[in-house]
Amino acid sequence: MSTEKRHILVADDDTGIRTVVTQALERAGHAVTPFSDGKSLMQWVENHEGDLVITDVVLPDDNGLDMIPRIQAVRPNMPIIVMSAQSTLMTAVRASELGALDYLPKPFDINKLTSVVSRALEVQAREAATEPVAVDASLPIIGRSAAMQDIYRTIARLLPTDLTVMVVGESGTGKELVARALHDFGHRSEGPFVAVNMAAIPRELIESELFGHEKGAFTGAVHSQPGRFALAEGGTLFLDEIGDMPPEAQTRLLRVLQEGEYTTVGGQVTKKTNVRIVAATHRDLRQLIADGRFREDLFFRLNVVPIRIPPLRERLEDISELAAYFLSESAEQGLPARKLSDGALAALAQHQWPGNIRELEHLIQRLCILSPDDVIGADLVAAELRAGEAADGEAVATEGRANGLGEAVEYHLNRYFQAHRGHLPSPGLHDRILREVERPLVEITLAATNGNQIKAAEVLGLNRNTLRKKIRELNIDIPRGRSR
């Protein structure tokens, strides 16, 4: 379809916006009829005038989003572009759900507008929208910065699809919130949302956690147990910190993505899977590929649609809205109701936020407790930020200092249980954890003795035959050198 000499109807009560949009589209070779209200626009639509509609959300006599179903009832093939200064994820999602072909947050680049219009005129609008889906306006993906607007637009376009998504961003930027938005507002919202954190699960347990296991598959497997793929059937599986997945699990995951089926650990029956995969990482996967630590073919399977979540230091204009949200959340949790002074907000905007949104959330909670006044001042904010930086410096200075094996194990076990998000691990945890600890213990001891099994058995306090049995069971490679 040619995009030349097409007739575009533009509705916006702002004279300046109407003028700028009209002039830009006319320069692009289109005929334009501007309106300041929704009633006049609908009259033209009902008279079958125009080839495309551009409407603001807020009109003096109507709501641009509410007009979308009415327009489509009369003109099912009429492309509709929504523009709005209410630049939130909910606006983009709502526009997409109702059938808008595209969404432009104000202020927008004129070149982007003309590009979107040209693209819209080359395709037919989607068929009449179904009944509007209720959306949760409390979903805490917050921000009106340009970077967040791009994310909202991408999420809105992905909702009706099952495309695999890779969410990349520093720790604390809200990667899981994006995954939940894709699930909660997509067509799989009635199915389960299952999250698994690769960094929190011991290497030996990941395949069992993902694919499940059969009774007797390994020591401690006293019952058959479904994996996360089975639990997420019909819904979304969120693979957090995918960069920490060990190579053997990467191979099995790639096979699932290629063939749409898997087998449980110790199982023989192939099972079909119907899940949408959303992966996330704070690591540079391309560097991991170069280092031989991540499969390139798996990367391309997962990175179908990449979404980069910007760190908070790149979207400082969102701090005020984020802080207001966390203040409200803190009050609902029983903390004292507080507000931030202008000076306090200015102090927050000067910080680099290495911990991103999670750091801001925890700071706001501390400020609510520590502030003696209803309005939090700049001095208290500055003092808490300095204290946080000092604590971070101390943590860096003590990093690597031995705290004892017991504390290290306790730390990783706590993360493991937290990764189950309120659910319990599968039965047989005791034996699985012992196996996880036993393997590096034997491997490191053998390396230290240059593969001498007699010396290694002595160091470990084991019978030589017992050590040989463990080497076979754990599939440990003997280091070069003496093997006796």
Side-chain angles (χ1 to χ4, degrees):
M1 179 188 296
S2 173
T3 61
E4 296 182 1
K5 302 301 181 184
R6 308 299 288 175
H7 189 182
I8 302 172
L9 310 179
V10 179
D12 195 305
D13 68 342
D14 187 318
T15 303
I17 293 291
R18 291 201 309 273
T19 301
V20 169
V21 170
T22 297
Q23 291 176 348
L25 294 176
E26 288 178 342
R27 284 196 300 270
H30 305 298
V32 181
T33 300
F35 305 94
S36 61
D37 63 285
K39 181 179 179 181
S40 300
L41 171 66
M42 283 303 304
Q43 289 174 347
W44 278 64
V45 170
E46 290 168 356
N47 289 332
H48 292 268
E49 298 284 347
D51 299 296
L52 180 145
V53 166
I54 301 176
T55 178
D56 190 16
V57 169
V58 179
L59 296 171
D61 60 340
D62 214 329
N63 180 293
L65 296 179
D66 292 339
M67 290 171 57
I68 295 175
R70 303 207 304 267
I71 293 173
Q72 292 177 328
V74 179
R75 305 278 298 280
N77 294 322
M78 172 76 84
I80 303 170
I81 297 172
V82 172
M83 53 185 177
S84 175
Q86 298 177 345
S87 307
T88 69
L89 171 62
M90 292 303 101
T91 307
V93 168
R94 184 73 169 162
S96 175
E97 288 176 335
L98 291 171
L101 191 65
D102 217 321
Y103 161 77
L104 289 173
K106 294 179 179 179
F108 48 78
D109 182 78
I110 288 297
N111 291 330
K112 176 175 282 189
L113 170 67
T114 55
S115 174
V116 168
V117 168
S118 295
R119 187 170 66 249
L121 289 172
E122 292 172 355
V123 297
Q124 290 184 345
R126 66 180 66 174
E127 295 183 358
T130 56
E131 287 298 313
V133 178
V135 295
D136 180 4
S138 66
L139 185 72
I141 300 184
I142 295 169
R144 300 172 187 266
S145 59
M148 294 306 296
Q149 295 307 311
D150 288 341
I151 292 172
Y152 298 160
R153 286 160 55 88
T154 302
I155 290 175
R157 290 171 178 172
L158 286 170
L159 293 181
T161 78
D162 273 332
L163 294 176
T164 302
V165 178
M166 173 71 77
V167 186
V168 179
E170 296 178 6
S171 295
T173 50
K175 296 187 288 295
E176 184 168 345
L177 292 178
V178 171
R180 285 191 174 275
L182 288 168
H183 174 80
D184 292 344
F185 300 107
H187 67 95
R188 290 180 176 264
S189 60
E190 298 300 319
F193 177 89
V194 177
V196 54
N197 188 326
M198 296 299 166
I201 299 177
R203 181 183 63 181
E204 296 290 334
L205 308 183
I206 284 183
E207 291 189 51
S208 173
E209 289 288 339
L210 286 178
F211 308 111
H213 62 259
E214 300 300 322
K215 180 180 179 181
F218 48 80
T219 303
V222 295
H223 301 286
S224 296
Q225 189 74 17
R228 303 302 179 90
F229 269 92
L231 297 176
E233 186 68 17
T236 302
L237 179 60
F238 176 51
L239 303 176
D240 198 7
E241 299 304 347
I242 193 71
D244 291 281
M245 176 178 272
E248 55 271 23
Q250 292 180 31
T251 300
R252 289 201 65 177
L253 176 60
L254 176 63
R255 190 175 303 118
V256 175
L257 295 177
Q258 289 174 332
E259 302 172 5
E261 56 187 31
Y262 66 95
T263 57
T264 59
V265 176
Q268 301 297 323
V269 179
T270 299
K271 299 185 177 183
K272 294 287 185 180
T273 181
N274 174 27
V275 300
R276 181 189 196 159
I277 300 292
V278 180
T281 184
H282 72 282
R283 294 176 176 270
D284 183 346
L285 292 184
R286 294 187 184 276
Q287 184 59 52
L288 292 181
I289 292 170
D291 295 340
R293 296 161 60 192
F294 200 86
R295 294 187 60 128
E296 186 175 31
D297 45 4
L298 177 58
F299 170 76
F300 288 120
R301 284 280 180 175
L302 293 172
N303 199 51
V304 177
V305 181
I307 298 179
R308 177 183 178 270
I309 310 298
L312 187 52
R313 62 183 173 275
E314 292 182 10
R315 44 179 294 217
L316 294 176
E317 60 267 47
D318 292 333
I319 283 182
S320 176
E321 191 173 359
L322 286 164
Y325 173 80
F326 290 134
L327 286 169
S328 176
E329 284 285 290
S330 297
E332 289 181 7
Q333 294 168 6
L335 298 179
R338 298 286 187 257
K339 295 182 179 180
L340 289 165
S341 68
D342 292 341
L345 285 172
L348 293 177
Q350 296 299 315
H351 188 54
Q352 287 299 299
W353 301 106
N356 292 296
I357 297 174
R358 188 179 297 123
E359 181 187 359
L360 175 62
E361 178 183 11
H362 294 165
L363 174 65
I364 293 296
Q365 292 171 344
R366 291 201 307 276
L367 292 172
C368 288
I369 295 172
L370 296 175
S371 177
D373 304 313
D374 291 341
V375 179
I376 300 171
D379 291 344
L380 179 59
V381 171
E384 283 302 303
L385 289 174
R386 286 195 300 270
E389 290 172 353
D392 291 341
E394 176 64 20
V396 171
T398 58
E399 186 175 0
R401 187 178 298 168
N403 292 317
L405 180 59
E407 288 187 22
V409 172
E410 180 181 359
Y411 169 77
H412 287 288
L413 284 175
N414 281 328
R415 291 191 66 192
Y416 177 59
F417 274 88
Q418 290 169 4
H420 285 77
R421 289 171 168 81
H423 300 286
L424 292 176
S426 58
L429 179 62
H430 178 269
D431 287 333
R432 296 202 304 275
I433 292 297
L434 291 183
R435 181 183 176 89
E436 177 75 7
V437 173
E438 192 173 37
R439 182 186 181 94
L441 174 62
V442 174
E443 284 181 330
I444 292 171
T445 305
L446 284 168
T449 60
N450 197 28
N452 188 315
Q453 296 181 35
I454 296 176
K455 289 184 178 180
E458 181 181 351
V459 171
L460 292 167
L462 297 175
N463 178 280
R464 183 183 177 188
N465 290 332
T466 301
L467 175 59
R468 282 181 170 175
K469 181 180 178 183
K470 290 186 179 295
I471 290 172
R472 288 195 303 271
E473 290 177 347
L474 298 171
N475 194 27
I476 293 175
D477 293 328
I478 306 296
R480 291 183 178 180
R482 294 177 60 189
S483 59
R484 294 188 302 122

